[in-house]
Amino acid sequence: MEVDSAEEAVSEGASVLPDSPEFFDAEVWRLLCSNTNKSAARHQERGRKYHWTDVTPDELKKFIGLLLYMGVMNLPKMTDFWRKQTIFEVPFPATVMTRDRFKSILSFFHISDPEEDGQNDLARGTEKYDVLHRVQPLLDMLRTRCMAVYHPRQHISVDERMVATKARLSFKQYMRDKPTKWGLKFFVLADKNGYTVDYQLYTGKKSQSSVNGLSFDVVSSLVNKDYLGSGYIVYCDNFYTSPLLFRHLGQQGFGACGTYRQGRIGVPTTTENALTKRSPRGSIRWSRDGDLLFVKWMDTREVSMCTNVHSVYAGETVLRWRKKADGTYERVPIPRPTAVGEYNRYMGGVDTSDQLLGTNTVHRKTRRWYITVFQHMLDIAVTHSFIIYKEMSTIRGERPPTRQDFQELLTSQLLGVPLKTKPKVPTSNHLPVPTSSGQSKRQKASMGRRQCVLCRRCTPWQCEECKVGLCLQVDRNCFRMYHTLPESEQ
């Protein structure tokens, strides 16, 4: 089944509003509120003394809205958004929620049921222990919504994604070739536009390893025929590519294309007519094994491709620099195999997804790894809403918003405030008021007066804010003079 139009890509009935409920719907809000309140109550039972009011879905939406707001503003620390009496003051967050309330919700924020957490912890070291128990409810709920709201186009890709964390975890991974080298590793199935169709959080080697290997299990589980149907072409790198996997995908009705490693089981090992280091640029060698085509192409270095859907060469060329006899360089066309061009065109879905997720991300350093997972899930929900909204805007002939514009609009809706407001003039209580307030008529002429802080004369006027006596006469306006002086001279 080939899906090439944006109208077909977005499932029927999917909401295109920025605050699309398909990802964080009422069920998700209830789950997060219930378990957060249970977590706070459990800490109170343990003797921690603090004031706590149960969080509601509406208040949690404002909490999430502030997280998105911080993703756009991006100050170094969360508490910086509540700083006062500084040129770096940001006045808006305090109008939504107090700093202490925000920190309380963040402190007790919980995804799973705390009581079930305790039971799971007792099983640590046994086969019944679930290392993902604290995040599994949200992982499952959001994964279901990702698959239900959007149906991908024909070309999809499988790759790894690293989510940075320095938490002490048994399943924290290191990947040398990734920009984020330490963190949580997700196996991701993505569309070309960056939509995360499906994902798996890798928890390390299992006690019972699969006969076919990790790479086979990952792709075969992500590329689900019951959900996708058939007719898709899956692209992957040399970690996943194997003749066994590609033949399995072919039997399921999927095409497959990817780079491969020479030592993999089932890969042809013949050296007859093979490429060498002296082979000219653009040289192509190929061999076929049943329904699989193995292609080698000489570019800057040797490129090895395996495919079950592409021909060897369809006339495509690319420009490369070549040195002429006189020492100058010229760009000349060289032939390129079909599989290489298609791989370059469609393999970058996960990289595109990572770029979108990293734009105005809510991710912040934390010692609690499950909060890192929640932040990543929130980024996925926002990014998916943006992708759908952008494509529907294109269908309607409207100019699509940028990623930042969309997040600002979504933030304003979650917080329940208009996005564009007129700047408010700062209010001031520096107003002249009588010093004789509350005095009897007999005392107003003498006892009600105060000494002016500038001219030292008696005055019946004072500043309501500063609480100091100041003259307010036709020929002597100490009130104005005082409030125009620098603070150091007042």
Side-chain angles (χ1 to χ4, degrees):
M1 178 186 64
E2 182 173 354
V3 184
D4 281 332
S5 68
E7 291 176 313
E8 293 175 308
V10 180
S11 62
E12 183 178 358
S15 173
V16 297
L17 296 175
D19 53 347
S20 176
E22 283 79 9
F23 302 108
F24 273 53
D25 55 12
E27 184 181 2
V28 176
W29 295 120
R30 285 195 300 268
L31 171 76
L32 297 179
C33 287
S34 174
N35 292 332
T36 299
N37 292 329
K38 288 181 180 179
S39 176
R42 190 175 186 183
H43 281 83
Q44 282 182 328
E45 292 175 357
R46 292 178 176 177
R48 290 186 59 178
K49 296 181 179 180
Y50 53 85
H51 175 71
W52 172 260
T53 305
D54 282 353
V55 64
T56 62
D58 290 338
E59 188 178 22
L60 191 61
K61 288 181 181 180
K62 293 183 179 180
F63 173 80
I64 300 298
L66 284 177
L67 291 179
L68 299 182
Y69 179 88
M70 294 173 184
V72 176
M73 296 294 290
N74 194 24
L75 293 180
K77 297 182 296 184
M78 285 187 174
T79 54
D80 289 342
F81 290 91
W82 283 272
R83 293 174 66 184
K84 299 295 183 182
Q85 298 179 353
T86 171
I87 60 174
F88 299 101
E89 177 181 348
V90 183
F92 175 73
T95 65
V96 178
M97 186 179 297
T98 64
R99 180 198 62 187
D100 291 346
R101 180 58 174 172
F102 180 87
K103 292 177 66 176
S104 295
I105 296 176
L106 181 62
S107 176
F108 301 117
F109 188 86
H110 221 73
I111 299 173
S112 58
D113 192 325
E115 296 180 359
E116 296 178 1
D117 289 345
Q119 298 175 0
N120 183 65
D121 291 340
L122 293 176
R124 190 185 300 271
T126 66
E127 294 182 356
K128 295 183 179 180
Y129 179 68
D130 183 7
V131 295
L132 298 182
H133 181 269
R134 291 181 182 272
V135 296
Q136 199 65 60
L138 186 61
L139 286 175
D140 293 339
M141 295 172 75
L142 191 61
R143 177 175 176 267
T144 301
R145 286 153 180 76
C146 289
M147 299 173 68
V149 172
Y150 181 89
H151 208 70
R153 294 176 173 83
Q154 183 183 21
H155 301 276
I156 53 181
S157 59
V158 176
D159 205 351
E160 304 94 8
R161 172 187 297 156
M162 294 293 289
V163 179
T165 181
K166 291 187 177 180
R168 300 182 64 179
L169 293 170
S170 60
F171 54 91
K172 183 171 62 175
Q173 300 294 312
Y174 173 77
M175 296 194 70
R176 181 185 59 185
D177 297 331
K178 292 288 185 178
T180 301
K181 302 187 184 305
W182 286 98
L184 304 174
K185 180 162 73 172
F186 284 80
F187 293 112
V188 176
L189 175 68
D191 196 356
K192 181 187 175 183
N193 59 8
Y195 189 96
T196 301
V197 181
D198 198 0
Y199 55 82
Q200 293 179 6
L201 177 54
Y202 180 58
T203 57
K205 295 181 180 179
K206 299 180 181 179
S207 58
Q208 297 180 351
S209 59
S210 171
V211 176
N212 298 323
L214 173 64
S215 59
F216 181 95
D217 294 340
V218 167
V219 178
S220 59
S221 60
L222 290 176
V223 183
N224 189 340
K225 183 179 179 180
D226 295 336
Y227 161 64
L228 294 172
S230 60
Y232 284 86
I233 301 177
V234 183
Y235 296 85
C236 53
D237 60 24
N238 57 23
F239 173 74
Y240 306 95
T241 302
S242 69
L244 178 64
L245 173 64
F246 278 25
R247 287 194 173 95
H248 170 77
L249 292 175
Q251 294 171 359
Q252 297 292 316
F254 297 103
C257 177
T259 58
Y260 70 87
R261 299 173 183 175
Q262 189 59 47
R264 277 286 172 90
I265 298 176
V267 172
T269 58
T270 179
T271 58
E272 184 179 355
N273 196 29
L275 291 175
T276 66
K277 294 182 179 180
R278 295 187 177 182
S279 298
R281 207 174 209 180
S283 299
I284 300 176
R285 303 288 187 271
W286 62 274
S287 64
R288 185 174 290 277
D289 182 7
D291 57 342
L292 298 183
L293 176 69
F294 298 88
V295 181
K296 287 183 177 293
W297 175 57
M298 180 59 72
D299 192 17
T300 305
R301 57 186 178 85
E302 184 179 300
V303 179
S304 302
M305 302 292 301
C306 179
T307 177
N308 64 359
V309 290
H310 301 113
S311 60
V312 178
Y313 180 63
E316 183 180 358
T317 60
V318 291
L319 295 176
R320 293 291 186 267
W321 289 103
R322 183 179 66 180
K323 189 176 182 179
K324 297 191 296 184
D326 59 358
T328 60
Y329 289 85
E330 63 176 350
R331 298 189 74 182
V332 296
I334 65 171
R336 183 172 69 177
T338 304
V340 176
E342 294 295 285
Y343 179 86
N344 292 340
R345 190 172 295 115
Y346 298 114
M347 180 57 195
V350 178
D351 292 336
T352 301
S353 178
D354 291 345
Q355 292 174 359
L356 291 173
L357 291 172
T359 304
N360 304 122
T361 175
V362 302
H363 178 79
R364 287 182 178 269
K365 292 181 180 180
T366 175
R367 296 179 180 178
R368 296 176 292 170
W369 67 272
Y370 57 90
I371 296 296
T372 300
V373 175
F374 167 75
Q375 292 172 347
H376 184 62
M377 294 296 103
L378 180 58
D379 282 333
I380 288 179
V382 175
T383 300
H384 286 183
S385 298
F386 166 69
I387 291 173
I388 294 175
Y389 189 76
K390 181 180 179 180
E391 294 203 353
M392 295 305 296
S393 297
T394 303
I395 292 173
R396 295 192 296 266
E398 302 173 355
R399 182 178 179 180
T402 64
R403 177 67 168 77
Q404 178 178 333
D405 291 340
F406 177 84
Q407 185 157 330
E408 291 177 357
L409 179 60
L410 176 57
T411 301
S412 68
Q413 293 194 2
L414 287 173
L415 296 177
V417 297
L419 178 60
K420 297 182 179 180
T421 58
K422 295 181 179 179
K424 296 182 179 180
V425 179
T427 58
S428 172
N429 291 327
H430 294 286
L431 302 174
V433 294
T435 61
S436 56
S437 176
Q439 302 289 339
S440 64
K441 292 183 179 180
R442 181 177 301 178
Q443 295 173 327
K444 286 182 180 180
S446 56
M447 296 182 63
R449 293 176 178 263
R450 299 187 62 180
Q451 187 182 52
C452 177
V453 295
L454 291 185
C455 66
R456 302 301 177 182
R457 301 182 184 181
C458 290
T459 176
W461 298 99
Q462 66 178 356
C463 176
E464 183 179 16
E465 178 73 16
C466 303
K467 305 298 182 183
V468 294
L470 293 166
C471 295
L472 188 61
Q473 304 294 334
V474 176
D475 58 344
R476 192 173 69 256
N477 194 341
C478 295
F479 185 90
R480 180 179 180 182
M481 291 177 59
Y482 179 81
H483 289 98
T484 54
L485 289 174
E487 291 187 4
S488 58
E489 299 182 15
Q490 291 182 1

